[in-house]
Amino acid sequence: MTEKKLVCVSCPMGCELTVVLEGKKVVSVSGNRCPRGEEYARSEAVEPRRVLMTLVRVEGGRDRVVSVKTDRPIPLRLFPKAMARVRELSVRAPVAIGTVIEENFLSTGANLVTTRPAR
Amino acid sequence: MRTYTVDVLVVGGGAAGMAAAAAAAREGARTVLLERGERLGGVLEQCIHPGFGLHRYREELTGPEFAHRMRQELDDSGAEVLTGATVLEILPDGPAVKVVSPKGLKKFRPRAVVWAVGARERPFGALRIPGTRPSGVFTAGLAQRLLDLEGLLPGRRAVILGSGDIGLIMARRLHLEGVEVRAVLEIQPFPGGLTRNVVQCLRDFGIPLLLSHTVAEVHGRERLEGITAVRVDEHRHPIPGTERRIEADTLILSVGLIPEVRLIEDTVPLDPVNRGPRVNGRLQTEVPWLFAAGNCVAVFDLVDTVAELGERAGASAARYARGELPPGKPVPLVRGENVVSLVPSYLDGTAESARMYLRVPRPMEGVAVDVGGVVRRRVPVARPAEMIEIPLDGDALSELSQKERIVVEVKPK
Ligand SMILES: Cc1cc2nc3c(=O)[nH]c(=O)nc-3n(C[C@H](O)[C@H](O)[C@H](O)COP(=O)(O)OP(=O)(O)OC[C@H]3O[C@@H](n4cnc5c(N)ncnc54)[C@H](O)[C@@H]3O)c2cc1C
Ligand code: SF4
């Protein structure tokens, strides 16, 4: 059995959580002041996921880059790979806000979408 | 110079200004919004991380997405928008506002003005750090604009001074874009920003946070070559013998925002701690035709709050322009224990309801906010990074308005 210390980031309280794991299985969660903390700890201890936000190159427009995000959290451990992939991408101006640049990004089930228009 | 007569003139097209202009126009006022930049959104445009709008839109949006939604609301409201229009001067009699735009100088004669120009960053010079003045030293906001709007990296190896949310967010952005972030230094013994940002911006990527540390010296002739970091004691004095050199070509300063008041400071009384104009619950300053909202009143942590204040200011300005906002008797709010930022500065019994916002100077647990002995609210965890919001309903307001002064304090429960 292993013990992991986490800080719940689901709300500003920032409870300090202790998760007991057996291999990849969560045995118990303590330190949370509400059920959301337990839910957070169960996924965080096994596979932390985050929304990735970055920039994609824009070709043929006034803007050099456009901001993008994954439309749902992806595993944090994929971030280096994700950034390497993003560097290979580019879009042609103009692009609308909410345009999908890459579907099922790195097979995560998340899409990479623009978060602003680019001219 | 052409002169334009309007009901409400809004200066600044960030979240506060967009919300104010939309609200004023919805009230039926002839409204013009002036923004000096090319696009609306203010700092939202350069904040490409998620974390905006959980209260207003019940969704976690990025800054540009939040700005986009507000822009749609603004367009629907019928307010007129002028970009590339910088306000140069406000003349108190009239009042009149002088504006420079690509089409030349213009003069506006509004019945009411909403000041919504945001905050500016505390500059390097204000820190009085010894050493040379090489290139490679950026304020966090400038670095963020270069990176997230222009796609330009400020350097290769960076040290960040200041662990407020802006510093933390920049650490993550720089790291993701391939800049080696050597350390984040924080002079206080606790992080300046939200816990979730310490976790998601630093811990996720193994970026060291050095608490009770500051920059003792900068090195390098033309380009920055490194800095000397030093540990400080509880009085923020450097402890001799704890100096260490960190090689870096970039120093990012995230050492605080100051409300932008340069064009109004001779016209309107300021609050010495917030550093913005003193306002009442309707966001009206002590100069009756001048309203103010957003980061130029006090520095707010959440854009949702800024937008709400903007709406309140815009609607109040529209009513003032119609002659519907008679003056009331001002009752000052006075800072008691453990209160730094405090908005509003006074109440005058003219609002049906209001909200009060305050910040504590250091992290505290299990405290209660007391407003003039009339409203008491428990706060389980209070952190300097977060504004505490206290709603004041009609009953509380009328009771508070009977007083000579209202002491606001934060004490153990
Ligand atoms: C890096 C950073 C990260 C943040 N992260 C979050 C977050 O995760 N979640 C959240 O809710 N909030 C966050 N905030 C806070 C929030 O974004 C701001 O409080 C809010 O957007 C401020 O809006 P504003 O309208 O008051 O000011 P601003 O956005 O600064 O707008 C002021 C506008 O006025 C214009 N202006 C200035 N002077 C003149 C003039 N003389 N004439 C004409 N126009 C003028 C400027 O060009 C600018 O567009 C963050 C802020 C920063 C800086
Ligand atoms: S456990 Fe609940 S109360 Fe504690 S930080 Fe998480 S969401 Fe907030």
Side-chain angles (χ1 to χ4, degrees):
Chain A
M1 283 218 270
T2 52
E3 215 181 81
K4 256 194 196 173
K5 297 257 181 225
L6 297 173
V7 178
C8 178
V9 296
S10 309
C11 92
M13 298 277 286
C15 295
E16 286 172 25
L17 312 178
T18 306
V19 187
V20 180
L21 287 155
E22 211 172 300
K24 282 218 147 202
K25 235 185 112 234
V26 175
V27 181
S28 72
V29 178
S30 54
N32 53 311
R33 275 175 240 202
C34 83
R36 273 165 73 200
E38 170 151 2
E39 200 183 308
Y40 171 82
R42 288 190 178 273
S43 86
E44 183 73 9
V46 178
E47 176 75 85
R49 288 173 172 267
R50 303 281 186 264
V51 167
L52 174 74
M53 78 301 293
T54 179
L55 303 164
V56 165
R57 216 162 357 109
V58 175
E59 313 259 5
R62 267 182 43 191
D63 295 324
R64 294 164 49 107
V65 288
V66 63
S67 53
V68 298
K69 68 172 184 185
T70 54
D71 62 3
R72 64 179 74 169
I74 64 170
L76 182 60
R77 74 186 148 81
L78 290 181
F79 269 32
K81 211 171 143 193
M83 288 304 297
R85 174 68 190 136
V86 165
R87 284 188 195 106
E88 297 169 0
L89 298 172
S90 68
V91 283
R92 216 152 236 294
V95 199
I97 185 172
T99 305
V100 177
I101 296 199
E102 192 148 274
E103 256 178 56
N104 193 12
F105 183 58
L106 301 177
S107 312
T108 54
N111 300 322
L112 195 67
V113 298
T114 57
T115 56
R116 81 160 117 245
R119 288 176 294 169
Chain B
M1 199 184 334
R2 281 201 62 178
T3 302
Y4 302 81
T5 314
V6 297
D7 294 333
V8 176
L9 186 69
V10 178
V11 185
M18 285 196 279
R26 282 196 295 262
E27 283 272 330
R30 212 189 136 221
T31 307
V32 174
L33 169 79
L34 303 174
E35 164 57 46
R36 70 175 168 200
E38 267 181 56
R39 37 184 159 197
L40 301 185
V43 294
L44 288 172
E45 280 295 310
Q46 65 193 65
C47 294
I48 67 166
H49 59 280
F52 298 83
L54 265 179
H55 297 279
R56 192 178 173 89
Y57 299 116
R58 312 239 158 254
E59 245 184 274
E60 196 162 15
L61 303 169
T62 64
E65 291 171 311
F66 189 96
H68 189 77
R69 294 226 183 158
M70 292 213 68
R71 177 68 207 246
Q72 286 170 331
E73 291 170 20
L74 178 63
D75 289 344
D76 292 344
S77 75
E80 198 181 318
V81 175
L82 273 182
T83 53
T86 305
V87 169
L88 299 177
E89 207 180 346
I90 297 214
L91 308 164
D93 15 277
V97 177
K98 269 199 209 157
V99 180
V100 61
S101 77
K103 292 197 192 123
L105 282 174
K106 290 188 168 88
K107 194 162 159 186
F108 284 87
R109 285 202 168 274
R111 290 177 198 273
V113 173
V114 180
W115 194 245
V117 297
R120 67 195 156 97
E121 297 183 277
R122 207 176 290 249
F124 189 36
L127 294 176
R128 299 199 199 93
I129 299 174
T132 50
R133 287 293 174 268
S135 67
V137 182
F138 302 85
T139 60
L142 175 60
Q144 194 181 35
R145 270 198 300 284
L146 287 175
L147 179 60
D148 288 336
L149 286 177
E150 314 283 338
L152 302 171
L153 288 180
R156 303 186 154 277
R157 293 205 288 178
V159 169
I160 298 179
L161 178 59
S163 68
D165 289 313
I166 306 178
L168 299 176
I169 279 157
M170 277 314 287
R172 172 175 60 185
R173 286 292 303 125
L174 291 168
H175 170 89
L176 282 175
E177 299 302 329
V179 176
E180 184 192 342
V181 181
R182 312 282 330 257
V184 175
L185 311 185
E186 170 58 57
I187 196 163
Q188 302 183 100
F190 51 85
L194 304 174
T195 313
R196 61 177 290 170
N197 283 333
V198 175
V199 173
Q200 300 194 345
C201 298
L202 303 187
R203 225 173 281 173
D204 274 3
F205 306 106
I207 299 169
L209 171 61
L210 305 179
L211 297 174
S212 299
H213 272 78
T214 190
V215 174
E217 200 176 341
V218 296
H219 310 282
R221 287 190 161 279
E222 281 174 13
R223 177 78 195 197
L224 184 78
E225 285 163 15
I227 59 117
T228 299
V230 68
R231 181 181 277 283
V232 297
D233 64 20
E234 61 269 39
H235 307 295
R236 298 191 180 184
H237 296 315
I239 304 173
T242 62
E243 297 86 359
R244 77 171 109 152
R245 189 169 158 132
I246 304 177
E247 304 302 320
D249 63 4
T250 305
L251 174 62
I252 308 269
L253 304 170
S254 174
V255 289
L257 298 172
I258 312 169
E260 177 62 88
V261 292
R262 281 178 287 191
L263 294 176
I264 58 165
E265 62 193 348
D266 297 331
T267 310
V268 61
L270 302 180
D271 177 287
V273 180
N274 300 339
R275 302 183 69 170
R278 289 168 52 81
V279 292
N280 66 13
R282 292 189 182 282
L283 287 313
Q284 187 175 28
T285 70
E286 285 168 286
V287 174
W289 51 266
L290 185 60
F291 296 75
N295 278 358
C296 62
V297 173
V299 176
F300 287 89
D301 55 336
L302 287 182
V303 71
D304 309 77
T305 314
V306 165
E308 194 186 302
L309 291 174
E311 274 168 1
R312 219 171 246 269
S316 309
R319 293 187 57 187
Y320 178 83
R322 287 204 299 266
E324 284 177 18
L325 213 63
K329 175 184 110 103
V331 185
L333 291 173
V334 183
R335 291 178 174 85
E337 266 174 78
N338 298 316
V339 175
V340 272
S341 304
L342 179 64
V343 177
S345 295
Y346 61 102
L347 297 174
D348 64 7
T350 61
E352 299 85 45
S353 70
R355 276 167 207 272
M356 205 183 67
Y357 304 90
L358 62 102
R359 269 185 212 267
V360 292
R362 59 193 158 79
M364 302 171 88
E365 278 188 34
V367 289
V369 180
D370 184 291
V371 186
V374 173
V375 177
R376 211 176 139 78
R377 200 183 170 97
R378 296 222 235 143
V379 183
V381 192
R383 295 207 175 84
E386 289 160 39
M387 277 269 190
I388 300 170
E389 186 178 317
I390 314 276
L392 302 174
D393 62 16
D395 291 347
L397 279 179
S398 52
E399 201 177 332
L400 288 167
S401 326
Q402 306 303 316
K403 297 180 175 280
E404 287 300 310
R405 61 208 278 273
I406 304 158
V407 178
V408 182
E409 53 193 347
V410 180
K411 291 204 291 205
K413 314 194 267 255

